[in-house]
Amino acid sequence: MVYFTYEIVRLLANHPHFGITMMTADRKAGRSIGSVFPHLMAQDLPAMVAIKDADFSDVDAVFCCLPHGTTQEIIKSLPKQLKIVDLSADFRLRNIDEYEEWYGLPHKAPELQKEAVYGLTEVSRDQIRNARLVANPGCYPTSIQLPLVPLIKAGLIELRNIIIDAKSGVSGAGRGAKEANLYTEISEGLHSYGITKHRHVPEIEQGLSDASHSKVTVSFTPHLMPMSRGMQSTIYVEMAPGVTIDDLYQKLLSTYEDEEFVRLLEKGAIPHTRHVRGSNYCFMNVFQDRIPGRAIIISVIDNLVKGASGQALQNLNLMLGFPENIGLNYQPLFP
Amino acid sequence: MVYFTYEIVRLLANHPHFGITMMTADRKAGRSIGSVFPHLMAQDLPAMVAIKDADFSDVDAVFCCLPHGTTQEIIKSLPKQLKIVDLSADFRLRNIDEYEEWYGLPHKAPELQKEAVYGLTEVSRDQIRNARLVANPGCYPTSIQLPLVPLIKAGLIELRNIIIDAKSGVSGAGRGAKEANLYTEISEGLHSYGITKHRHVPEIEQGLSDASHSKVTVSFTPHLMPMSRGMQSTIYVEMAPGVTIDDLYQKLLSTYEDEEFVRLLEKGAIPHTRHVRGSNYCFMNVFQDRIPGRAIIISVIDNLVKGASGQALQNLNLMLGFPENIGLNYQPLFP
Amino acid sequence: MVYFTYEIVRLLANHPHFGITMMTADRKAGRSIGSVFPHLMAQDLPAMVAIKDADFSDVDAVFCCLPHGTTQEIIKSLPKQLKIVDLSADFRLRNIDEYEEWYGLPHKAPELQKEAVYGLTEVSRDQIRNARLVANPGCYPTSIQLPLVPLIKAGLIELRNIIIDAKSGVSGAGRGAKEANLYTEISEGLHSYGITKHRHVPEIEQGLSDASHSKVTVSFTPHLMPMSRGMQSTIYVEMAPGVTIDDLYQKLLSTYEDEEFVRLLEKGAIPHTRHVRGSNYCFMNVFQDRIPGRAIIISVIDNLVKGASGQALQNLNLMLGFPENIGLNYQPLFP
Amino acid sequence: MVYFTYEIVRLLANHPHFGITMMTADRKAGRSIGSVFPHLMAQDLPAMVAIKDADFSDVDAVFCCLPHGTTQEIIKSLPKQLKIVDLSADFRLRNIDEYEEWYGLPHKAPELQKEAVYGLTEVSRDQIRNARLVANPGCYPTSIQLPLVPLIKAGLIELRNIIIDAKSGVSGAGRGAKEANLYTEISEGLHSYGITKHRHVPEIEQGLSDASHSKVTVSFTPHLMPMSRGMQSTIYVEMAPGVTIDDLYQKLLSTYEDEEFVRLLEKGAIPHTRHVRGSNYCFMNVFQDRIPGRAIIISVIDNLVKGASGQALQNLNLMLGFPENIGLNYQPLFP
């Protein structure tokens, strides 16, 4: 069970048009959501049912929060009229071979893969509107593509040597009982993990390659932070010849000035992960590096909201014809 | 500047009927709220003004978040048609002498004190509806009175030797730059503070004395926790002769079963502060102690919401004739 | 595997006379300690061996850090010339029936139980010096008995209604991979646990009953804190008729003024858990309660040191004829 | 007052040859160290004196822990026979102009500057042995130079585009009461700070330029972590043509295999800040980047120990003719 599952439940509690008709579970089938997540006990929700007992006759749309590798077959079996936002990684990579290489599993629904739309909302809004199946982006790829895609599309940064030092709260690892994620193992310290091998790499490279129409290889090193929520990507890039930091700033400004959830801060202001906690915002900014010709790009999100459930709801709003911000007016919780 | 000031701003962002017309500030007058609290930058709010420049002609109601000792005179000077919820301690104690004893200051608005209604919503809902000035309760007193007042009114617990071991996150101390509240001084440790001298004592005793129609003296020891938000009161009491733990449970059940924000957990379930974080809920339960005839009562709140700004908004909703839960549908943020 | 196992390794690194000849392990047999606990990698230590392969011919003393229930038979099988400090609960309760009731297991070494000495160093120093098998006290019982035993022996406090509100860091729960102890489940919140049922209860009551020569029943409610190390017991007592808070202070002063590890703070000074972190100290103090005739007693320890491994080493020093403070000169780590 | 001041006191408590004769203070003159830092109360130390009342007749060596800008004149006035380790930044930069540019102050002791030895122990051990005045390195520069200096000296990495993403616990900011360092402002979030402007930049560049005999400009972005102690530098470099990751590993291995405090981990093992907490160790490792020809270098230290007080004591040991590890046998405190 992963934390973003019930993060969707939290968000839906404020949605004026969507209601939760059914929640499925595996070992916890039969239980109330409040018994598994007491912070949701005040909501009046149906008990969880086993997926084999699920009745979809009264359902318009599904958020699919299953582990990668199990999702492809299940989605294949769902009624065709359902709108689906899949929060797993199972439909994010268009290249089936790449999926099999990074996840070590054969892809079980290649025909569905062709139909799936990658759900980075601000980048692919129009395709999402018309999609039946949206592959919701990973948290790291969201925080990285939002600033980089428009800069790459405009040819403002070099494609070589894009170096991403990313930092994430531990909620991204889910609720599985692992020694490495105990309080005592995480608190008051930090470490890198998954160096060169993190499974978000092909997703990031797919997005940047699409933007540049060429093959991009990135350096991506994630770090586990002593905190539950929050994610920062600090991105070190070379600017294209003649490009200035102000060009980068203006490009991001023109791209996002009318967006509700992506915010370019005032010049010089430094984004903090704590300032977006619990909300669907992405805050970003760009800085001139000390080395001439280089720039530092910082973006922060809440990994469970804009990095997962919030963006999923934003996408479903679009898929069902609603304004994308409906139900997403949770302001950041600070401190 | 205290954290609950902008916690009200966060809550009001979701309110369908209330809007923020004006915010006053002292040293920060002239600045935008987003420059002081970047997590609120996405909201479109007026710049803060000095209180001397405040124009109340367009204002229906005021949340007053000033330090104790300064509030009495300022409220005295406000236009009479305004509804006011005061979050300071300045109007909480009906007994002027007691105020002067615990706060070391002369009371500057004794006539207003007579008018002020103590705003523990679930206990004094009817008076609050008709009040012009509500003295919003302190965080500790809220968490303590909600379970104790109905039990005392029903004569189910003894008035002697009520022992309250309370635990609070550090946000209650406000945003003042004090060495004692640095991250390095708070993280990974705990300590008691204000032993026998905490200023919430007379407020707690006033409430319990009112409920019992006799003078109650409590043992109250607060502890500072290595966390930002959250408050638990663990209360050790003697049951009246012949009373059982089930009597206590049933009394709390009948008192609160129709309340939205006060929730008695299922028998045996232990409240956690993290399960109410960011929300206006109070979760509580009662337990048979190992010593016969004794009970342990636990209640948890978010000190900035039900312990301050959330209850303030709940009260203002009532004062202006709205359902009390409007704008308070923020579900708890966990983890 | 529990954290206090390698806390002993940390402490022994500074011991001038003791060296580690052998470490046993179960599933991790064959591995180096540095591969399991990288923070110990700089020490030159033998690889861990399975207990069945252990050769005790070169061993003078053993710290036994096994789970309760498995320890009795293993210790029974050890060579008789070994000095043993057992950190489990298996030999702490003199009353076999009580062990079986609280641990739900038959006692497998009742004859050894008779020989075992309860190792609260400052209270039973002389018996420990001559012991072959020491049952090392639990963390809560250590923090509670150190202040209460001398006060009870002197008849200064009432035996009825001793109320103990205890707070512990999560390292006491060991390194087992449990959902409840994940960072995300512990950080920034607190809760009570084991209400009336914690297994340290009979150990606490045994110690206080011994001190008073009568049966004592206590109210004991532990709370899990968002921190790794540290423990505070806040103890609410009635003073005996005519006794003052100064009498309590003087009694603790005369009891502990020559002790190295138990420190009564100056009058009015409040103990903090962070001020003993990583050290073998117990800091304590007493306070007049607001209710006349009552006192509040606070003691703090590091649960892994004075509450486990530090006291174990203190005891072994005595058993082998060394000054008890040898190897225990780690000063507290703050912040 | 900074945290590393009393970190020296903690370390000296275990030193067999050094004792504390005198401690000076400013506003806290006259007070005991235990009243300012209760975790040190168990040590028997002289009360602090004002620096004007200091009597150096009985003093062999001084640790100078004053703010930058005030240190130069004070050290100039000290008796010439004293050995001095200065933990401020006042004597770290050989180039007086650079000091004045980055610190905005005229240098008040340029002649002393010529005499000062930069105290990166493993790099400059021989000069330190003969020094009277050692400028103790900053925390970031220590964590960065230890891996980079030998690699640069050996010509294994390119000097262009060295990108350093550094992460530090908040104790590095000292104990000053600043809003930005409150628990509520730091917990459960992170942010970059001092982008391109951090004062450790010229110190880092000085060290790398010395190693390469050419002017090196680095990209250096520090991040503030929600933790008290610990520092990681994640360093992204290009390898020189034909150089492999194994060449880097072997160079670091041969450089540090006989060092007590600098440890190259086994291939593939990832350093964690928590594994060096409270100790004088630096753990490091190198990793092949995903982009061919690039390497990722990670080093971790405790910013208050190897990054300040521990290295200072290591240096003073050398200056006074003792083995450098005396008194530094504190093993890491985990968890």
Side-chain angles (χ1 to χ4, degrees):
Chain A
M1 173 86 60
V2 285
Y3 285 111
F4 55 68
T5 308
Y6 57 85
E7 187 70 0
I8 293 179
V9 178
R10 179 179 76 96
L11 294 171
L12 287 174
N14 271 350
H15 200 289
H17 308 305
F18 297 171
I20 296 174
T21 313
M22 182 171 67
M23 290 181 294
T24 67
D26 185 5
R27 281 170 304 166
K28 287 171 178 161
R31 294 177 58 180
S32 72
I33 188 84
S35 74
V36 181
F37 296 119
H39 71 292
L40 298 174
M41 66 154 275
Q43 293 190 52
D44 188 25
L45 292 168
M48 296 187 282
V49 299
I51 195 158
K52 66 173 177 50
D53 300 328
D55 170 7
F56 289 95
S57 60
D58 203 26
V59 173
D60 296 309
V62 167
F63 292 107
C64 193
C65 305
L66 297 163
H68 66 79
T70 66
T71 301
Q72 290 153 351
E73 288 194 307
I74 285 174
I75 289 185
K76 212 161 53 174
S77 73
L78 290 179
K80 295 304 171 214
Q81 78 281 9
L82 291 178
K83 299 280 188 180
I84 301 166
V85 181
D86 177 30
L87 285 88
S88 86
D90 266 13
F91 292 100
R92 291 181 194 156
L93 300 180
R94 283 198 312 277
N95 184 329
I96 302 284
D97 295 341
E98 212 160 36
Y99 176 82
E100 299 187 348
E101 174 194 341
W102 284 85
Y103 288 88
L105 295 166
H107 198 297
K108 292 168 190 148
E111 66 297 343
L112 263 180
Q113 182 64 62
K114 288 180 196 129
E115 183 189 347
V117 170
Y118 184 72
L120 190 63
T121 322
E122 286 78 8
V123 168
S124 307
R125 190 174 276 128
D126 290 338
Q127 299 97 300
I128 294 165
R129 269 203 190 91
N130 300 312
R132 188 180 74 86
L133 168 60
V134 162
N136 211 58
C139 45
Y140 286 121
T142 295
S143 71
I144 291 162
Q145 292 176 84
L146 283 174
L148 287 191
V149 164
L151 298 178
I152 286 178
K153 279 187 178 167
L156 295 174
I157 60 173
E158 300 286 354
L159 302 177
R160 66 172 180 264
N161 293 338
I162 294 176
I163 293 165
I164 306 162
D165 187 294
K167 296 95 176 164
S168 175
V170 71
S171 63
R175 211 187 194 187
K178 284 190 275 187
E179 180 186 288
N181 295 334
L182 293 174
Y183 181 88
T184 38
E185 303 284 322
I186 293 293
S187 172
E188 292 287 314
L190 77 106
H191 62 280
S192 310
Y193 71 102
I195 299 176
T196 75
K197 302 192 191 91
H198 194 285
R199 282 168 167 170
H200 283 175
V201 164
E203 183 182 343
I204 297 163
E205 293 184 351
Q206 169 181 275
L208 303 190
S209 298
D210 284 359
S212 65
H213 305 295
S214 68
K215 175 84 191 107
V216 176
T217 300
V218 299
S219 169
F220 173 65
T221 306
H223 295 74
L224 203 56
M225 298 285 107
M227 62 191 202
S228 287
R229 287 175 183 248
M231 171 168 285
Q232 175 172 328
S233 290
T234 317
I235 310 173
Y236 302 91
V237 299
E238 289 176 58
M239 292 183 277
V243 169
T244 67
I245 199 74
D246 196 54
D247 296 331
L248 271 54
Y249 190 88
Q250 291 303 325
K251 181 70 207 169
L252 293 174
L253 185 62
S254 63
T255 305
Y256 291 123
E257 63 190 336
D258 295 326
E259 290 290 347
E260 170 147 5
F261 295 122
V262 182
R263 302 282 177 146
L264 180 67
L265 300 194
E266 289 179 20
K267 285 187 186 177
I270 295 176
H272 291 213
T273 64
R274 57 183 69 77
H275 294 151
V276 298
R277 180 166 49 221
S279 80
N280 200 45
Y281 295 110
C282 172
F283 285 4
M284 64 175 65
N285 215 340
V286 293
F287 302 87
Q288 170 69 51
D289 199 344
R290 182 168 162 73
I291 302 178
R294 298 193 63 93
I296 303 166
I297 302 167
I298 294 174
S299 82
V300 300
I301 60 172
D302 182 322
N303 55 306
L304 295 181
V305 191
K306 184 61 177 168
S309 306
Q311 187 156 246
L313 180 51
Q314 194 181 357
N315 285 330
L316 190 64
N317 279 331
L318 285 173
M319 293 161 79
L320 293 176
F322 291 101
E324 72 189 63
N325 65 354
I326 296 280
L328 285 165
N329 51 351
Y330 273 98
Q331 292 301 303
L333 189 79
F334 172 79
Chain B
M1 172 86 61
V2 285
Y3 285 112
F4 55 69
T5 308
Y6 57 85
E7 187 70 1
I8 293 180
V9 178
R10 179 179 76 95
L11 295 170
L12 286 174
N14 271 350
H15 200 289
H17 307 306
F18 297 170
I20 296 175
T21 313
M22 182 172 67
M23 290 182 292
T24 67
D26 185 5
R27 280 170 306 166
K28 288 171 177 160
R31 294 178 57 180
S32 72
I33 190 83
S35 74
V36 182
F37 296 118
H39 72 292
L40 298 174
M41 65 154 276
Q43 294 190 52
D44 188 25
L45 291 170
M48 297 188 280
V49 298
I51 194 159
K52 66 176 175 51
D53 300 328
D55 169 7
F56 290 95
S57 59
D58 202 27
V59 173
D60 296 310
V62 167
F63 292 107
C64 192
C65 304
L66 297 163
H68 66 80
T70 66
T71 301
Q72 290 153 351
E73 289 192 308
I74 285 174
I75 290 186
K76 212 161 53 175
S77 73
L78 291 178
K80 294 306 170 211
Q81 79 279 10
L82 291 177
K83 300 280 187 180
I84 301 166
V85 180
D86 177 29
L87 284 89
S88 85
D90 267 12
F91 291 100
R92 290 181 194 155
L93 300 180
R94 283 197 312 276
N95 184 329
I96 302 284
D97 295 341
E98 213 160 36
Y99 175 82
E100 299 188 348
E101 176 193 339
W102 284 84
Y103 289 87
L105 297 165
H107 199 298
K108 292 168 190 149
E111 67 297 343
L112 264 180
Q113 181 64 63
K114 287 180 196 131
E115 183 189 345
V117 170
Y118 184 72
L120 190 64
T121 323
E122 287 78 7
V123 168
S124 306
R125 190 174 275 129
D126 291 338
Q127 299 97 297
I128 293 164
R129 269 200 190 92
N130 300 310
R132 189 180 74 86
L133 168 60
V134 162
N136 211 57
C139 45
Y140 286 121
T142 295
S143 72
I144 292 162
Q145 293 176 86
L146 284 174
L148 288 190
V149 163
L151 299 178
I152 286 177
K153 279 186 179 166
L156 295 174
I157 60 173
E158 299 287 352
L159 302 177
R160 65 171 182 265
N161 293 337
I162 295 176
I163 293 165
I164 306 162
D165 188 295
K167 295 96 175 165
S168 175
V170 70
S171 63
R175 210 186 194 189
K178 283 189 275 185
E179 179 186 290
N181 294 335
L182 293 174
Y183 181 87
T184 38
E185 304 284 321
I186 292 293
S187 172
E188 292 287 314
L190 78 106
H191 63 279
S192 311
Y193 70 102
I195 301 176
T196 76
K197 300 192 193 92
H198 194 285
R199 283 168 167 170
H200 284 174
V201 164
E203 183 182 343
I204 297 163
E205 292 184 351
Q206 170 181 277
L208 304 190
S209 297
D210 284 358
S212 65
H213 306 295
S214 68
K215 175 84 191 107
V216 176
T217 301
V218 299
S219 169
F220 173 65
T221 307
H223 296 73
L224 202 57
M225 298 284 106
M227 61 192 203
S228 287
R229 285 175 185 249
M231 172 168 284
Q232 174 171 329
S233 290
T234 317
I235 309 173
Y236 302 91
V237 299
E238 290 176 57
M239 292 183 276
V243 170
T244 67
I245 199 74
D246 196 54
D247 296 331
L248 269 54
Y249 190 88
Q250 291 304 325
K251 182 68 207 168
L252 292 174
L253 185 62
S254 63
T255 305
Y256 291 122
E257 64 191 336
D258 295 327
E259 290 291 346
E260 170 148 4
F261 295 120
V262 182
R263 302 281 178 146
L264 180 67
L265 300 193
E266 288 178 22
K267 284 187 188 180
I270 294 177
H272 290 213
T273 64
R274 58 184 68 78
H275 294 151
V276 298
R277 180 167 48 223
S279 81
N280 201 45
Y281 294 111
C282 173
F283 284 4
M284 64 174 66
N285 215 341
V286 293
F287 302 87
Q288 172 68 51
D289 199 345
R290 181 167 164 74
I291 303 177
R294 299 193 64 93
I296 302 165
I297 302 166
I298 294 174
S299 81
V300 300
I301 59 172
D302 182 322
N303 55 306
L304 294 182
V305 191
K306 185 61 177 170
S309 305
Q311 186 156 248
L313 180 51
Q314 193 181 357
N315 286 329
L316 190 64
N317 279 331
L318 286 173
M319 294 160 78
L320 293 176
F322 292 101
E324 72 189 63
N325 64 354
I326 297 280
L328 285 165
N329 51 350
Y330 272 99
Q331 292 301 303
L333 188 81
F334 172 78
Chain C
M1 173 85 61
V2 284
Y3 286 111
F4 55 69
T5 308
Y6 57 86
E7 186 70 0
I8 294 180
V9 177
R10 180 179 75 96
L11 295 170
L12 286 174
N14 271 349
H15 200 290
H17 307 306
F18 297 171
I20 296 174
T21 313
M22 183 171 66
M23 289 181 294
T24 67
D26 187 5
R27 281 169 304 166
K28 287 172 177 160
R31 294 178 57 180
S32 71
I33 188 83
S35 74
V36 182
F37 296 118
H39 72 292
L40 298 174
M41 66 153 275
Q43 293 191 52
D44 187 25
L45 291 169
M48 297 187 282
V49 299
I51 195 159
K52 67 173 175 50
D53 301 327
D55 170 7
F56 289 96
S57 60
D58 203 26
V59 173
D60 296 310
V62 167
F63 291 107
C64 193
C65 304
L66 297 162
H68 67 80
T70 66
T71 302
Q72 290 154 351
E73 287 192 308
I74 284 174
I75 290 186
K76 212 161 54 174
S77 73
L78 291 178
K80 295 303 171 214
Q81 78 280 8
L82 291 178
K83 300 281 188 179
I84 301 166
V85 180
D86 178 29
L87 284 88
S88 87
D90 266 13
F91 291 100
R92 290 182 193 154
L93 300 180
R94 283 198 313 275
N95 185 329
I96 301 285
D97 295 342
E98 213 160 37
Y99 175 82
E100 299 187 349
E101 176 195 339
W102 284 84
Y103 289 88
L105 295 165
H107 199 297
K108 292 168 190 150
E111 67 298 341
L112 263 180
Q113 182 64 62
K114 287 179 195 130
E115 185 190 345
V117 170
Y118 184 71
L120 190 63
T121 321
E122 286 78 8
V123 168
S124 306
R125 190 173 275 131
D126 291 338
Q127 299 96 299
I128 293 165
R129 270 203 189 91
N130 300 311
R132 189 180 75 86
L133 169 58
V134 161
N136 211 57
C139 46
Y140 287 121
T142 295
S143 73
I144 292 162
Q145 293 176 84
L146 284 174
L148 288 190
V149 164
L151 298 178
I152 286 178
K153 279 187 178 167
L156 295 175
I157 60 173
E158 299 287 352
L159 302 177
R160 67 172 180 261
N161 292 339
I162 294 176
I163 293 165
I164 305 163
D165 187 295
K167 296 96 176 165
S168 176
V170 73
S171 63
R175 210 186 194 188
K178 283 190 276 189
E179 180 185 289
N181 295 334
L182 292 174
Y183 181 87
T184 38
E185 303 285 321
I186 293 292
S187 173
E188 291 287 313
L190 77 107
H191 63 280
S192 310
Y193 70 102
I195 299 176
T196 76
K197 301 192 191 91
H198 194 285
R199 283 168 167 171
H200 283 174
V201 164
E203 184 183 343
I204 297 163
E205 293 184 351
Q206 169 181 277
L208 303 190
S209 298
D210 284 358
S212 67
H213 306 294
S214 69
K215 177 85 191 102
V216 176
T217 300
V218 299
S219 168
F220 173 66
T221 306
H223 295 73
L224 202 58
M225 297 285 106
M227 62 191 200
S228 288
R229 288 176 183 245
M231 171 168 286
Q232 174 171 328
S233 290
T234 317
I235 310 172
Y236 302 92
V237 299
E238 289 176 57
M239 293 183 277
V243 170
T244 67
I245 200 74
D246 196 54
D247 295 332
L248 269 55
Y249 190 88
Q250 291 303 325
K251 182 68 207 169
L252 293 174
L253 185 63
S254 63
T255 304
Y256 292 122
E257 63 191 335
D258 296 326
E259 291 290 347
E260 171 147 4
F261 295 121
V262 182
R263 302 281 177 145
L264 180 67
L265 300 193
E266 288 179 22
K267 284 188 187 178
I270 294 176
H272 290 213
T273 65
R274 57 183 70 79
H275 294 150
V276 299
R277 181 167 47 220
S279 81
N280 201 45
Y281 294 110
C282 173
F283 285 2
M284 64 174 65
N285 215 342
V286 293
F287 302 87
Q288 171 68 51
D289 199 345
R290 182 168 162 73
I291 303 178
R294 298 192 65 92
I296 302 166
I297 302 167
I298 295 174
S299 81
V300 300
I301 59 172
D302 182 322
N303 55 307
L304 295 182
V305 191
K306 185 61 179 168
S309 305
Q311 187 156 247
L313 180 51
Q314 193 181 359
N315 285 330
L316 190 65
N317 279 332
L318 286 173
M319 294 160 79
L320 293 176
F322 291 101
E324 71 189 63
N325 65 353
I326 297 281
L328 285 165
N329 51 349
Y330 272 99
Q331 292 300 303
L333 189 80
F334 171 79
Chain D
M1 171 87 60
V2 284
Y3 285 112
F4 55 70
T5 308
Y6 58 85
E7 186 71 0
I8 294 181
V9 178
R10 180 179 76 96
L11 295 170
L12 286 174
N14 270 350
H15 201 290
H17 307 307
F18 297 170
I20 297 174
T21 314
M22 183 171 68
M23 290 182 294
T24 67
D26 185 5
R27 281 170 304 167
K28 286 172 178 161
R31 293 178 59 180
S32 71
I33 188 83
S35 74
V36 182
F37 296 119
H39 73 292
L40 298 174
M41 66 153 276
Q43 294 190 51
D44 187 24
L45 292 169
M48 297 188 281
V49 298
I51 193 157
K52 67 174 175 52
D53 301 328
D55 170 7
F56 290 96
S57 60
D58 202 27
V59 174
D60 296 310
V62 167
F63 291 107
C64 192
C65 304
L66 296 163
H68 66 80
T70 66
T71 301
Q72 291 154 350
E73 288 193 307
I74 285 174
I75 290 186
K76 214 162 53 174
S77 73
L78 290 178
K80 294 305 170 210
Q81 78 280 9
L82 291 178
K83 300 281 189 180
I84 300 166
V85 181
D86 177 29
L87 285 90
S88 86
D90 266 12
F91 292 99
R92 291 182 193 154
L93 300 180
R94 282 198 313 277
N95 185 329
I96 301 285
D97 294 342
E98 212 160 37
Y99 176 83
E100 299 187 350
E101 175 194 341
W102 284 84
Y103 288 88
L105 295 166
H107 199 297
K108 293 168 189 148
E111 68 297 342
L112 263 180
Q113 182 64 62
K114 287 179 196 132
E115 184 190 346
V117 170
Y118 184 71
L120 191 64
T121 321
E122 287 77 8
V123 167
S124 307
R125 190 174 275 130
D126 291 337
Q127 299 96 296
I128 294 165
R129 269 202 190 91
N130 300 310
R132 189 180 74 86
L133 168 59
V134 162
N136 211 57
C139 46
Y140 286 120
T142 294
S143 72
I144 291 162
Q145 293 176 83
L146 283 174
L148 287 191
V149 163
L151 298 178
I152 286 178
K153 280 186 178 167
L156 295 174
I157 59 174
E158 300 286 353
L159 301 178
R160 64 170 182 264
N161 292 339
I162 295 176
I163 293 166
I164 305 162
D165 188 294
K167 295 96 175 164
S168 175
V170 72
S171 63
R175 210 186 195 186
K178 284 190 275 187
E179 181 185 289
N181 295 334
L182 292 175
Y183 180 88
T184 37
E185 303 285 321
I186 293 293
S187 173
E188 292 286 314
L190 78 106
H191 63 281
S192 310
Y193 71 102
I195 300 176
T196 76
K197 300 192 193 93
H198 194 285
R199 283 170 167 170
H200 283 175
V201 165
E203 184 183 341
I204 297 163
E205 294 185 350
Q206 170 181 275
L208 304 189
S209 299
D210 284 358
S212 66
H213 304 296
S214 68
K215 177 82 191 106
V216 176
T217 300
V218 299
S219 169
F220 173 65
T221 307
H223 295 74
L224 202 57
M225 298 284 106
M227 62 191 202
S228 288
R229 286 177 184 246
M231 172 169 283
Q232 173 170 330
S233 291
T234 316
I235 309 172
Y236 302 91
V237 299
E238 289 176 58
M239 293 183 277
V243 170
T244 67
I245 199 75
D246 197 53
D247 295 332
L248 270 53
Y249 190 88
Q250 292 304 324
K251 182 68 206 167
L252 292 174
L253 186 62
S254 62
T255 304
Y256 291 122
E257 65 190 334
D258 295 326
E259 290 290 348
E260 170 146 4
F261 295 121
V262 182
R263 303 281 178 146
L264 180 68
L265 299 193
E266 288 178 22
K267 285 185 187 181
I270 295 176
H272 290 213
T273 65
R274 57 182 69 77
H275 294 152
V276 298
R277 180 167 47 221
S279 80
N280 200 46
Y281 294 110
C282 173
F283 285 3
M284 62 174 66
N285 215 342
V286 293
F287 302 87
Q288 171 68 52
D289 198 344
R290 181 167 163 75
I291 303 178
R294 298 192 63 92
I296 302 165
I297 302 167
I298 295 174
S299 82
V300 299
I301 59 172
D302 183 322
N303 55 307
L304 295 182
V305 191
K306 184 62 177 168
S309 306
Q311 186 156 248
L313 180 51
Q314 193 181 359
N315 286 330
L316 190 64
N317 279 331
L318 286 173
M319 294 161 78
L320 293 176
F322 292 101
E324 72 190 61
N325 65 354
I326 297 281
L328 285 166
N329 51 350
Y330 273 99
Q331 292 300 303
L333 188 82
F334 172 79

